[in-house]
Amino acid sequence: MKTIIFACIVSVALAAPQFQDPIAITRDERVDNGDGTFSYVFEADNGITAQAAGVQGSQGQSNIEGSYSYPLSDGSGFVEVRYVADENGFRAESPFLPTPHPTPAHVIELLRIAEEQRAAGITFEK
């Protein structure tokens, strides 16, 4: 019975969350003008950074332009993502973001043929 109790105590101790050292915030600047315009800059001592600025958009929204970066897990560099969010949606740019596969040449040719047929007034019944 003592072995079972000891095993339970050990398993509870091993299952306890493992805490990391706290990460210090080295810079945190925020400005909110209350009218949809704002800016912020954030930096942590582990290399994580973020910055953005917002202005009033044409449809009542805040248009935002910003970036964020964080260190790669192997320590070889940083991932940086730049983005814009406005009337045209959210658009992010970074060499680390996945991209769609290129359209195969035969599909491009088929699309060209279909466009020529549409221009010539050719239609197909369903």
Side-chain angles (χ1 to χ4, degrees), residues 12-57:
V12 168
L14 291 174
Q18 306 298 316
F19 296 102
Q20 294 180 328
D21 292 333
I23 297 169
I25 305 305
T26 58
R27 185 175 177 195
D28 188 1
E29 299 173 12
R30 301 165 192 249
V31 176
D32 183 355
N33 299 316
D35 61 357
T37 61
F38 69 91
S39 65
Y40 69 83
V41 177
F42 171 88
E43 295 177 4
D45 70 353
N46 64 351
I48 295 174
T49 64
Q51 66 85 27
V55 296
Q56 289 182 340

Side-chain angles (χ1 to χ4, degrees), residues 84-104:
V84 174
D86 58 16
E87 293 90 353
N88 300 314
F90 178 81
R91 298 173 310 282
E93 296 177 357
S94 174
F96 292 93
L97 294 175
T99 57
H101 295 287
T103 305

Side-chain angles (χ1 to χ4, degrees), residues 34-124:
D35 61 357
T37 61
F38 69 91
S39 65
Y40 69 83
V41 177
F42 171 88
E43 295 177 4
D45 70 353
N46 64 351
I48 295 174
T49 64
Q51 66 85 27
V55 296
Q56 289 182 340
S58 64
Q59 299 175 9
Q61 80 286 355
S62 287
N63 289 346
I64 304 169
E65 187 171 336
S67 66
Y68 59 90
S69 67
Y70 56 92
L72 291 167
S73 58
D74 63 4
S76 64
F78 288 86
V79 171
E80 182 175 9
V81 177
R82 295 186 176 281
Y83 64 89
V84 174
D86 58 16
E87 293 90 353
N88 300 314
F90 178 81
R91 298 173 310 282
E93 296 177 357
S94 174
F96 292 93
L97 294 175
T99 57
H101 295 287
T103 305
H106 71 278
V107 172
I108 293 171
E109 177 65 11
L110 290 172
L111 292 171
R112 185 191 62 75
I113 292 168
E115 186 56 39
E116 284 179 1
Q117 290 173 341
R118 264 192 293 280
I122 298 172
T123 59
F124 298 93

